Amino acid sequence: QVQVMESGGGLVQAGGSLRLSCAASGSIFNINAMAWYRQAPGKQREFVARISSGNSTMYAVSVKGRFTISRDNAENTVYLQMNSLKPEDTAVYYCNAFIRFNLYWGKGTLVTVSS
């Protein structure tokens, strides 16, 4: 059984920064890709960033240059450093981990950016 848990959300003013963490635990031998998604109120869940087992990264256009994804393989953890936050970044941020052909999701952490 695999669990994925996000942390680090909160309230921040526009222009500020937050760092989200996502830890995978349980029966893990090797994590392939890990990714962040977000869902704003009344909108569909959207892709934010992804990092492969080899540390190749991809970003949504809306966050490129402001957000940085990284991972600590020894700790089965992925991070999302979010800088220059905007009110439109307000959302519940979800993490997923692709492990042995299965995708595991966390329950999300709320990020609120005030103007």
Side-chain angles (χ1 to χ4, degrees):
Q1 190 173 358
V2 175
Q3 297 82 38
V4 176
M5 181 174 291
E6 304 92 340
S7 61
L11 174 63
V12 63
Q13 288 190 331
S17 299
L18 276 178
R19 189 192 195 208
L20 305 183
S21 300
C22 169
S25 61
S27 301
I28 299 171
F29 297 101
N30 182 48
I31 301 177
N32 295 321
M34 298 186 77
W36 289 96
Y37 284 71
R38 67 186 181 186
Q39 186 167 17
K43 295 189 177 181
Q44 290 189 332
R45 190 174 298 189
E46 63 175 7
F47 169 77
V48 175
R50 177 185 183 272
I51 186 166
S52 72
S53 57
N55 286 328
S56 295
T57 58
M58 292 177 58
Y59 296 93
V61 172
S62 59
V63 306
K64 198 167 187 178
R66 300 188 298 122
F67 291 10
T68 302
I69 189 170
S70 60
R71 66 190 286 173
D72 182 336
N73 290 330
E75 298 294 330
N76 294 323
T77 299
V78 65
Y79 304 98
L80 187 68
Q81 178 67 43
M82 306 185 296
N83 299 329
S84 302
L85 282 161
K86 306 174 181 180
E88 51 263 42
D89 294 317
T90 294
V92 177
Y93 283 71
Y94 298 91
C95 169
N96 70 39
F98 188 60
I99 304 169
R100 294 197 303 276
F101 307 109
N102 291 303
L103 194 61
Y104 298 91
W105 289 88
K107 294 185 177 182
T109 185
L110 177 62
V111 172
T112 303
V113 184
S114 63
S115 57

